[in-house]
Amino acid sequence: RPIYFVLGNHDCYGGTIGSARRLADNLSQNHPQIWYLPSCDPVRLSASTGLIGHGGWGDAQLGDFWNSQVRLTDFQRIGELLAAAHNRGLLLDLLTALGRDAGRFLGSQLRQALFEYDRVIVLTHVPPFAEASWHRGKPSGEDWLPFFACASTGIALRKVMEEYPDKRTTVLCGHTHSPGHCEVLPNLFV
């Protein structure tokens, strides 16, 4: 059976985000049943359902980045973040750029998929909304949200789905290691 995947932050440990993405892309190109979603067009699951995805990244746009005392292991184990971890301004710029790239990509992919499908499943590692970022059954706190949600992705998804009220999108995400669900719009479920 085909395998469809996106990357999460732990996939970049011991290297860089760029190298992990290149490795995933290479794996997808060399194995016909393995699909790294950011490297392909929307996938047809059925006549009415498509699949898109991008791992996303906590983009520091939600919560209280400047006052957060959270220091993720990511800052010690991922090359790009290690280089910026000691300068909050550089770290903010990097996280924001990673989030914006994910948001642009998913917004574009979602529009393309909704042209053909009535329902789209979106795979992402990082939750796209604060309401979808849970830890141990509770919403993530202001100090964790900068790293556990991607506002840029949420903005892009919401905007597209407001333009397509007769279509439906389900977002499947992880990163916070806690189950939960929320209805962001009548046609946008996480």
Side-chain angles (χ1 to χ4, degrees):
R1 295 187 180 269
I3 296 170
Y4 305 104
F5 75 100
V6 297
L7 295 176
N9 54 315
H10 291 224
D11 296 312
C12 304
Y13 279 16
T16 66
I17 297 165
S19 64
R21 289 175 176 176
R22 285 188 297 277
L23 181 64
D25 185 51
N26 186 49
L27 178 69
S28 186
Q29 289 180 14
N30 290 305
H31 297 279
Q33 291 294 89
I34 300 175
W35 299 88
Y36 175 50
L37 289 174
S39 294
C40 58
D41 290 330
V43 176
R44 181 178 200 248
L45 297 179
S46 74
S48 62
T49 305
L51 173 69
I52 63 171
H54 189 289
W57 209 273
D59 65 356
Q61 301 303 300
L62 296 169
D64 188 357
F65 174 79
W66 290 108
N67 291 309
S68 174
Q69 297 300 307
V70 173
R71 301 295 180 260
L72 298 178
T73 303
D74 297 8
F75 303 160
Q76 300 166 354
R77 304 284 312 271
I78 300 172
E80 294 93 339
L81 299 180
L82 179 62
H86 299 294
N87 181 318
R88 293 292 275 186
L90 287 176
L91 183 60
L92 176 64
D93 290 346
L94 176 59
L95 296 175
T96 300
L98 288 167
R100 283 186 184 147
D101 288 346
R104 278 193 292 269
F105 179 84
L106 283 175
S108 174
Q109 283 277 15
L110 184 55
R111 269 196 184 84
Q112 183 181 348
L114 290 171
F115 183 74
E116 184 171 347
Y117 305 107
D118 292 328
R119 180 172 181 246
V120 177
I121 298 171
V122 177
L123 297 185
T124 187
H125 183 63
V126 177
F129 304 98
E131 306 93 317
S133 180
W134 307 281
H135 183 68
R136 296 185 178 171
K138 298 179 182 176
S140 293
E142 291 293 304
D143 53 340
W144 290 92
L145 272 174
F147 316 108
F148 280 76
C150 184
S152 300
T153 298
I155 290 166
L157 295 175
R158 181 188 297 269
K159 181 178 180 194
V160 173
M161 293 315 296
E162 286 173 346
E163 296 169 10
Y164 291 88
D166 57 328
K167 307 273 183 149
R168 182 160 177 82
T169 293
T170 301
V171 179
L172 303 176
C173 57
H175 191 51
T176 62
H177 305 275
S178 259
H181 59 28
C182 69
E183 185 178 293
V184 178
L185 296 170
N187 63 342
L188 177 54
F189 181 78
V190 183

